[in-house]
C-alpha cells in the first residue's frame, strides 16, 4: 500500500519489489469526499539496462577508411540518447578515467560514424545511454579499441627485436621516434586482459626518454602498443604477442606491394632457433617443411593471418600481415 498526499508519486530508485499494479483515488482537503478509484496500470521492472559497443567494419583501419561505432541497449532500443567516450586509463585499482568525445551526444540511433578516420582516432572507446527525467544512465559499455595505421605516420614505433611475436622471459625495447626529435612521446598499451596503461607509470616496464623497456616479457604483455604525444594524440599501433615456445618471425610494419616478404618459425629452446615447419595463411597450408617462407613479390592478395606449426615443438600464434 502506497500512501501520498501529493497528486504525483515518485519512486526515486526502482527495485523489483516496486513491480505490480497501481491505481489512485483522491480525497477532499477539507471534508469527507472520496473520488472513484482509477483504472490500474501495471509497472514492470526489468533487469538493469546495459549497453554493448561494437565496431563496423573492423577495428584495424587504414587512414582514410570509414568506421561506425554501434551502441545498443540490451532491452528496449527506443527513447535512449547515446554518448561516446575515450578511455584515458585503467588504473591498478581498476578505476577507469573517461573523456567524452567533443560531439559525443548524437541522439537516438546509437551510431557514431567517422567517414574518414585519422591517425588520431586510435584509442579505446566506450558508450553509455540515458533516458527519462530525471535521467537514468546505463553502466558504461564494454571497451572497443580502434587502431588506425598510416602510410607516413609522424612517429614510428621501433621494436627491438624487430618482430611482432616475442618469447617469454626476454628483454623487449619499444621506442617512439619522429623526424625531428624523440622527446615528449609516451609508450602506451592495451592488453588482451583489457588494461590500458602507460609505460612511464607502470610496474611492467620502465621508460627513459621515449624508449620503453620490458626487462622480462610475460604472456600478459600481449596487446597493442602505440606512441602518445604530449597533447594526447595516439600514433602507430602495433600488435605484439608474447608466447612461450614457438613464434613466427614477421615484419612489424606493413609490407609494400612489390617487396619481398620472408617468414621464419623460431623455437626458444634450441640453437639455432629456426625450425623446419609448415606455414599457414588464414588457416590453410601454403608451404610445408621449410626453414623460411619467401614471397618474392608481395601483392594485396597476400594480406592475411599467418602462423607456423612444427609437428613436435608446437604451433605459433597468428600474426596479421598488412600490405599497402
Amino acid at each position: 500500500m502506497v500512501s501520498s498526499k501529493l497528486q504525483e508519486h515518485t519512486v526515486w530508485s526502482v527495485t523489483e519489489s516496486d513491480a505490480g499494479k497501481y491505481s489512485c483515488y483522491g480525497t477532499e482537503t477539507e471534508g469527507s469526499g472520496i473520488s472513484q478509484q482509477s483504472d490500474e496500470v501495471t509497472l514492470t521492472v526489468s533487469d538493469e539496462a546495459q549497453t554493448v559497443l561494437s565496431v563496423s567494419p573492423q577495428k584495424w583501419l587504414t587512414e582514410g577508411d570509414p568506421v561506425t561505432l554501434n551502441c545498443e541497449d540490451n532491452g528496449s532500443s527506443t527513447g535512449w540518447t547515446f554518448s561516446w567516450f575515450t578511455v584515458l586509463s585503467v588504473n591498478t585499482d581498476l578505476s577507469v578515467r573517461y573523456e567524452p568525445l567533443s560531439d559525443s551526444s548524437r541522439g537516438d540511433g546509437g551510431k557514431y560514424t567517422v567517414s574518414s578516420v585519422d591517425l588520431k582516432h586510435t584509442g579505446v572507446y566506450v558508450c553509455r545511454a540515458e533516458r527519462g527525467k530525471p535521467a537514468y544512465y546505463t553502466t558504461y559499455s564494454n571497451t572497443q579499441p580502434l587502431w588506425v595505421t598510416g602510410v607516413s605516420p609522424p612517429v614510428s614505433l621501433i621494436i627491438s627485436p624487430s618482430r611482432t611475436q616475442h618469447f617469454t622471459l626476454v628483454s623487449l625495447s619499444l621506442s617512439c621516434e619522429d623526424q625531428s626529435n624523440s622527446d615528449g612521446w609516451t609508450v602506451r598499451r592495451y592488453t588482451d586482459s583489457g588494461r590500458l596503461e602507460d609505460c612511464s607509470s607502470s610496474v611492467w616496464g620502465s621508460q627513459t626518454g621515449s624508449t620503453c623497456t620490458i626487462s622480462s616479457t610475460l604472456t600478459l604483455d600481449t596487446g597493442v602498443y602505440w606512441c602518445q604525444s604530449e597533447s594526447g594524440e595516439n600514433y602507430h599501433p602495433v600488435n605484439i604477442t608474447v608466447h612461450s615456445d614457438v613464434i613466427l618471425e614477421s615484419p612489424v610494419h606493413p609490407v609494400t606491394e612489390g617487396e619481398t616478404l620472408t617468414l621464419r618459425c623460431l623455437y626458444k629452446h634450441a640453437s639455432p632457433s629456426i625450425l623446419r615447419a609448415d606455414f599457414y595463411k588464414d588457416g590453410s597450408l601454403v608451404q610445408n617443411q621449410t626453414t623460411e617462407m619467401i614471397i618474392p613479390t608481395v601483392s594485396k592478395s597476400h594480406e592475411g593471418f599467418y602462423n607456423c606449426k612444427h609437428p613436435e615443438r608446437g604451433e605459433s600464434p597468428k600474426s596479421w600481415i598488412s600490405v599497402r
Side-chain angles (χ1 to χ4, degrees):
M1 178 73 177
V2 177
S3 178
S4 174
K5 294 183 179 180
L6 302 176
Q7 190 175 359
E8 205 174 72
H9 176 67
T10 301
V11 181
W12 293 106
S13 182
V14 176
T15 65
E16 290 183 3
S17 63
D18 295 307
K21 296 182 182 296
Y22 288 79
S23 63
C24 65
Y25 64 90
T27 60
E28 293 179 345
T29 304
E30 296 180 1
S32 58
I34 300 177
S35 71
Q36 291 184 334
Q37 188 161 319
S38 71
D39 295 333
E40 290 184 335
V41 295
T42 300
L43 176 65
T44 302
V45 180
S46 57
D47 293 336
E48 182 181 12
Q50 294 180 332
T51 47
V52 177
L53 183 61
S54 60
V55 63
S56 178
Q58 59 189 11
K59 64 182 180 182
W60 281 95
L61 302 159
T62 302
E63 193 176 13
D65 287 346
V67 70
T68 297
L69 294 172
N70 300 292
C71 191
E72 297 177 309
D73 171 52
N74 63 350
S76 171
S77 59
T78 59
W80 293 100
T81 297
F82 296 87
S83 299
W84 284 263
F85 305 79
T86 53
V87 181
L88 296 180
S89 64
V90 180
N91 303 315
T92 53
D93 61 357
L94 298 183
S95 61
V96 185
R97 291 175 58 218
Y98 303 104
E99 181 175 274
L101 302 186
S102 58
D103 54 351
S104 64
S105 183
R106 293 292 189 94
D108 293 336
K111 293 183 184 295
Y112 183 90
T113 298
V114 179
S115 59
S116 179
V117 295
D118 197 305
L119 295 172
K120 66 183 179 182
H121 288 114
T122 282
V124 181
Y125 296 82
V126 297
C127 68
R128 189 174 65 173
E130 66 175 278
R131 70 178 179 187
K133 291 183 179 181
Y136 169 77
Y137 294 92
T138 65
T139 56
Y140 288 100
S141 70
N142 56 297
T143 57
Q144 178 62 64
L146 285 183
W147 312 121
V148 184
T149 59
V151 176
S152 300
V155 62
S156 294
L157 180 60
I158 308 300
I159 300 172
S160 180
S162 184
R163 54 178 183 253
T164 57
Q165 295 187 14
H166 300 267
F167 293 120
T168 55
L169 306 179
V170 299
S171 177
L172 178 62
S173 172
L174 307 101
S175 300
C176 296
E177 297 183 5
D178 62 22
Q179 296 176 355
S180 56
N181 62 73
S182 295
D183 295 331
W185 295 100
T186 298
V187 176
R188 304 199 81 197
R189 74 177 189 179
Y190 180 70
T191 65
D192 282 1
S193 61
R195 297 291 294 275
L196 183 62
E197 303 166 314
D198 291 339
C199 182
S200 58
S201 57
S202 70
V203 296
W204 55 270
S206 58
Q207 183 153 336
T208 303
S210 294
T211 298
C212 175
T213 301
I214 303 175
S215 59
S216 184
T217 53
L218 302 171
T219 55
L220 294 174
D221 292 317
T222 293
V224 177
Y225 292 71
W226 68 95
C227 299
Q228 186 177 75
S229 68
E230 289 181 306
S231 59
E233 295 181 318
N234 301 317
Y235 298 104
H236 212 291
V238 174
N239 197 9
I240 291 177
T241 303
V242 178
H243 194 57
S244 56
D245 295 322
V246 177
I247 63 172
L248 180 73
E249 185 180 64
S250 61
V252 172
H253 307 299
V255 184
T256 302
E257 284 188 302
E259 291 183 346
T260 298
L261 171 64
T262 301
L263 304 176
R264 297 183 182 90
C265 201
L266 305 184
Y267 181 55
K268 183 179 182 181
H269 307 290
S271 182
S273 60
I274 300 176
L275 288 174
R276 182 175 292 276
D278 296 333
F279 290 83
Y280 295 81
K281 176 181 181 287
D282 298 327
S284 299
L285 179 67
V286 290
Q287 200 164 329
N288 64 341
Q289 290 302 295
T290 181
T291 55
E292 59 184 19
M293 176 181 166
I294 300 176
I295 302 175
T297 306
V298 170
S299 67
K300 196 69 176 175
S301 64
H302 292 114
E303 201 167 64
F305 285 99
Y306 289 79
N307 71 308
C308 63
K309 186 175 183 180
H310 187 274
E312 297 173 358
R313 306 302 187 190
E315 186 174 1
S316 77
K318 294 178 175 65
S319 276
W320 174 260
I321 303 297
S322 179
V323 179
R324 65 189 178 196

